[in-house]
Amino acid sequence: MILPTETVYGLAADAADPLAVAAVYTAKGRPSFNPLIAHVADVEAARRIAVLDDRAQALAAAFWPGPLTIVAPVADAAAVCDLARAGLDTVAVRVPGHPLSRTLLTAFGGPVVAPSANRSGRPSPTTFADAMEETGPAAAAALDGGPCRVGLESTVVALLPGEPARLLRPGAVTRAQIEAVIGPLAEAEGDAKRSPGRLALHYAPDAPVRINARSAVPGEAFLAFGPSDSPFNLSPTRDLAEAAANLFAMLRAADRTKPSAIVVAPIPDEGLGEAINDRLRRSAGYVG
Ligand code: TXA
Ligand code: MG
């Protein structure tokens, strides 16, 4: 099912049903070694499927419902099937904030896997129309929750026994917000086993993407940040939350004009900018 969340639209399935989960991998064209996030209605439901230590519980109390995903040891390997976890002994879990997804999760009762509803490698959909264009035809049902408020995927933090907390994917909850609750985060870079989905060339439109650019030449589409004449502006007032909310929809809108390249203005690397720049580097094909 096409499921709205506050971050991006997901393609959702019963996490306990390997056939339903397999259909999600197929619809996305996603490699089956890249595990999925299990979405649940509340922290009690999260504790039934994952072993949440003190750090994880502090983060859950601070940011759930909301755009944070916690990777922890799996507590119920049948509730989130092997295929959904890509065979790992850990599980990624989050309580989304969008009212429609919470209603659905409460009514369903069990964990629901929901990767972003894009086909693998493409920008995540942040509107109902974009989600329907990406994987809608493969879904048996679809919920229209309007445009996603946040527009960038959840932050993924691993909290595993005997290991420092690791940032696996920067996202809508910033590094500083997390460190304010549990202290310094370790880097996940190079830790391919624990962050199997961190492949280069991700979030990519059809046109090549050039980042940290001051201007574009004719035929190119320019995504501005700050005052500009360009028809595409991530945030005329240089507001990072607005830029995050606009990023994927604007990459898609620019792509539809069939430019020779999409050229993106520099984005400051602070706060939400870390996650925006992570997505932009990957859409441009740089290994992060
Ligand atoms: O905001 C979001 O998180 C959205 C919405 C729909 O909830 N979902 C999303 O899912 O972005 P997806 O599948 O596109 O990204 C999940 C990320 C991948 O980078 C994956 O590798 C990582 O979470 N992940 C999932 N399970 C993991 C695990 N057990 N260990 C490490 N990383 C894991
Ligand atoms: Mg994704």
Side-chain angles (χ1 to χ4, degrees):
M1 127 180 300
I2 296 291
L3 180 70
T5 83
E6 78 281 29
T7 58
V8 302
Y9 273 81
L11 180 62
D14 179 354
D17 181 346
L19 288 179
V21 174
V24 166
Y25 280 100
T26 303
K28 282 183 58 78
R30 175 165 173 138
S32 57
F33 55 81
N34 186 2
L36 308 179
I37 296 172
H39 298 67
V40 293
D42 51 38
V43 68
E44 287 74 37
R47 294 184 62 163
R48 286 196 284 276
I49 60 170
V51 182
L52 301 184
D53 66 14
D54 290 349
R55 301 170 297 179
Q57 294 195 50
L59 288 178
F63 300 113
W64 283 352
L68 174 75
T69 294
I70 293 174
V71 172
V74 65
D76 182 345
V80 184
C81 67
D82 273 356
L83 184 58
R85 287 178 286 106
L88 298 173
D89 54 7
T90 57
V91 63
V93 59
R94 99 170 176 100
V95 176
H98 194 293
L100 265 186
S101 50
R102 300 203 72 207
T103 304
L104 183 280
L105 290 168
T106 304
F108 182 67
V112 164
V113 287
S116 48
N118 53 286
R119 282 170 279 123
S120 195
R122 306 232 329 127
S124 300
T126 54
T127 65
F128 183 68
D130 288 344
M132 292 307 286
E133 185 185 317
E134 286 286 330
T135 54
L143 287 175
D144 183 348
C148 299
R149 181 175 56 77
V150 175
L152 276 186
E153 299 84 353
S154 61
T155 306
V156 182
V157 177
L159 296 160
L160 300 172
E163 293 186 25
R166 281 181 206 287
L167 183 63
L168 300 188
R169 178 174 74 181
V173 177
T174 65
R175 176 191 296 272
Q177 286 176 304
I178 291 169
E179 292 187 335
V181 178
I182 58 165
L185 282 164
E187 284 312 314
E189 240 42 89
D191 190 355
K193 176 169 164 280
R194 291 297 181 190
S195 48
R198 308 289 287 148
L199 308 173
L201 201 60
H202 209 131
Y203 315 107
D206 290 336
V209 175
R210 192 166 83 238
I211 59 179
N212 291 321
R214 295 280 164 196
S215 59
V217 301
E220 295 180 335
F222 185 61
L223 262 62
F225 180 72
S228 165
D229 294 337
S230 174
F232 305 109
N233 200 324
L234 292 168
S235 173
T237 59
R238 301 179 62 84
D239 178 276
L240 287 169
E242 182 182 26
N246 283 334
L247 179 66
F248 288 132
M250 228 165 249
L251 281 173
R252 287 171 184 279
D255 211 24
R256 284 188 197 103
T257 69
K258 305 254 178 263
S260 55
I262 298 173
V263 177
V264 189
I267 310 289
D269 212 28
E270 66 213 29
L272 263 179
E274 182 180 4
I276 296 173
N277 282 320
D278 171 78
R279 305 305 188 271
L280 283 172
R281 273 196 301 278
R282 286 166 199 279
S283 72
Y286 296 118
V287 186

